[in-house]
Amino acid sequence: MTSKVTYLGALRTQCVHIRSGNEFITDAPLDNQGLGEAFSPTDTVATALASCMLTVMGIKARDHEVDLRDTTAEVTKHMASDPRRISKIEVALYLPGGVSDKHRKILEHTANTCPVFQSINPSITLQIDFHWER
């Protein structure tokens, strides 16, 4: 088992990672009858994409002795209705300077082939922008 999710009532869940015991709360968003006081379930999907991209880039960067520390990603999720679903995820990655063009290409390819990227339904538009400092 990977995790356990408990419905707490009031459109809120508690999600526990079994191995570590770490947890987070989800809340229905304001535009879907919730309080919007925590990540919504669809927020976690969009955020998982950026987290996965940075994780696999970090692995590849370590292999090539490239320091990606303090790299950030800004995530924007767009919803559609009928049926209600994620229609688009935008990820803007802000990466350090001093990385060769060769390593940039390797790292961008790595990000764009991460497991979450590969798992997202093709009907969801993904807009990924890499912003390398000069």
Side-chain angles (χ1 to χ4, degrees):
M1 180 167 47
T2 301
S3 61
K4 181 177 180 182
V5 181
T6 304
Y7 182 68
L8 302 176
L11 310 180
R12 182 168 285 176
T13 68
Q14 175 188 37
C15 308
V16 180
H17 181 253
I18 298 302
R19 185 165 184 214
S20 68
N22 287 327
E23 62 182 70
F24 64 91
I25 300 294
T26 68
D27 205 6
L30 291 173
D31 68 348
N32 198 26
Q33 304 178 35
L35 298 174
E37 294 177 344
F39 282 99
S40 73
T42 55
D43 291 342
T44 65
V45 171
T47 302
L49 173 60
S51 178
C52 189
M53 294 172 87
L54 290 174
T55 299
V56 297
M57 287 175 77
I59 293 167
K60 187 63 76 172
R62 184 180 58 202
D63 292 347
H64 289 272
E65 298 180 354
V66 174
D67 186 3
L68 292 183
R69 194 177 350 200
D70 298 326
T71 293
T72 61
E74 295 177 356
V75 179
T76 304
K77 174 201 69 177
H78 301 270
M79 296 295 290
S81 57
D82 203 19
R84 186 166 171 81
R85 67 196 180 286
I86 299 170
S87 59
K88 181 178 183 181
I89 301 171
E90 299 174 48
V91 178
L93 295 120
Y94 295 90
L95 300 118
V99 178
S100 71
D101 286 342
K102 173 187 171 185
H103 285 127
R104 288 179 186 197
K105 286 178 184 172
I106 290 169
L107 293 168
E108 289 180 14
H109 173 75
T110 299
N112 287 325
T113 57
C114 79
V116 172
F117 190 107
Q118 298 298 320
S119 300
I120 291 178
N121 188 299
S123 70
I124 298 173
T125 301
L126 299 179
Q127 180 180 324
I128 312 299
D129 296 307
F130 296 90
H131 302 278
W132 294 93
E133 288 181 19
R134 292 286 171 189

